[in-house]
Amino acid sequence: MKEEVHNADQKRDRVQVVERAFGLLDALVKSGGSATAGQLKSVSGLAGPTVHRLLHTLMHIGVVHQLPNKEYALGANLVPLGEGATRQLGSLAVPQMQSLVAELGESVNMAAMESEMVVYIAQVPSPHSMRMFTEVGRRAYLHSTGVGKAMLATLPEDRVREVLRSTGMQAITPKTLTKPQALLDQLPVISAQGYAIDDEEQELGVRCLAVPIPQGPTRMALSVSGPTARMTDAFIRHATPLMTRTAAEIARKLTRG
């Protein structure tokens, strides 16, 4: 009986340690990605000795590292974990995306913002012989894609400027926006209307309609793309409410886990 009680206590302790470790990682994120041990103690609510023990273990497994200024930051070993989780989110949304393709007849993509880039995490192709195909895992710039602009429109302006300074605004096609202010002027309009358009800015001959996925576990967007001849203004007016509805359904599904 005593052994059973001891084992139960050990299980509770192990669960608590895991919760505290993830709480500390969350505190790092809330602190902007790096913080001192004292700041982490304040944000997490954990005792100082507990913070130091957890940091030592997290550093040992590479999910936290210490900067030259003695602050702690998220480590490189979190990257494949995050990428794997993001891909899984995409697979969960495929049934809703398939329904959207059946209604609209064009390719539907789902993308996430990852390291200041767009990464495509799911696609359901159009049944047309002439269709758009985007490989899952492919990366693209935020400023030149519909999904990227839809996600940028959900960010504060200072964060958008920071992203654009970091990545630059390369001209992917002659129609790509290459001046920060030109994009910044679009973002309030995108936010107000609830959708973004990539009008041959990523690929000539291709138009894309994108909507943000609201309140998801990470910043994400949904898009439908096709040849400009089929992606008319009338198509966009018809597709926008369907896209918005599907994005909300996906958000609810992902939030429920």
Side-chain angles (χ1 to χ4, degrees):
M1 181 65 177
K2 286 183 179 180
E3 185 177 351
E4 290 177 358
V5 171
H6 178 67
N7 289 340
D9 287 341
Q10 280 188 324
K11 288 179 182 178
R12 282 196 295 270
D13 287 343
R14 286 198 295 271
V15 169
Q16 187 179 58
V17 167
V18 172
E19 289 175 345
R20 286 177 172 177
F22 274 92
L24 198 61
L25 292 173
D26 185 56
L28 263 176
V29 172
K30 289 177 179 176
S31 300
S34 65
T36 65
Q39 289 168 333
L40 290 172
K41 174 186 172 185
S42 176
V43 174
S44 69
L46 297 172
T50 300
V51 168
H52 284 285
R53 283 198 301 271
L54 288 172
L55 285 172
H56 178 76
T57 300
L58 293 171
M59 287 174 65
H60 178 70
I61 61 176
V63 297
V64 168
H65 71 280
Q66 194 167 28
L67 301 173
N69 65 2
K70 303 302 181 183
E71 288 188 349
Y72 296 90
L74 299 173
N77 282 357
L78 282 173
V79 173
L81 292 175
E83 290 179 347
T86 302
R87 303 294 188 278
Q88 181 62 25
L89 293 178
S91 66
L92 290 173
V94 167
Q96 284 74 27
M97 295 169 65
Q98 288 172 330
S99 296
L100 199 55
V101 171
E103 289 186 80
L104 298 176
E106 299 294 349
S107 299
V108 173
N109 298 291
M110 183 173 168
M113 183 176 171
E114 196 173 88
S115 301
E116 301 183 337
M117 296 284 284
V118 163
V119 59
Y120 290 92
I121 60 176
Q123 188 196 54
V124 177
S126 162
H128 291 293
S129 57
M130 182 183 290
R131 60 191 180 192
M132 302 306 107
F133 179 78
T134 301
E135 184 180 359
V136 172
R138 176 174 170 255
R139 292 177 178 271
Y141 289 105
L142 288 155
H143 73 279
S144 63
T145 56
V147 285
K149 291 196 285 185
M151 289 187 276
L152 286 174
T154 68
L155 293 172
E157 183 178 318
D158 59 346
R159 176 60 179 141
V160 174
R161 290 185 182 275
E162 181 183 324
V163 169
L164 298 180
R165 280 195 299 270
S166 174
T167 63
M169 294 184 69
Q170 179 181 348
I172 310 301
T173 77
K175 294 193 173 185
T176 307
L177 297 177
T178 58
K179 302 294 184 184
Q181 195 57 51
L183 179 57
L184 288 166
D185 288 344
Q186 277 195 7
L187 297 183
V189 178
I190 291 170
S191 181
Q193 66 192 14
Y195 66 88
I197 299 290
D198 154 18
D199 199 0
E200 301 184 85
E201 296 160 59
Q202 178 65 23
E203 185 176 349
L204 289 177
V206 176
R207 205 175 189 203
C208 173
L209 164 69
V211 299
I213 295 176
Q215 301 175 333
T218 188
R219 213 166 293 276
M220 297 180 294
L222 191 68
S223 72
V224 57
S225 58
T228 52
R230 295 202 302 258
M231 294 287 292
T232 62
D233 290 345
F235 176 92
I236 288 169
R237 286 193 297 272
H238 168 68
T240 297
L242 300 178
M243 295 281 292
T244 302
R245 181 194 69 198
T246 302
E249 289 173 358
I250 290 172
R252 286 192 293 270
K253 183 174 185 179
L254 298 183
T255 304
R256 289 196 303 267

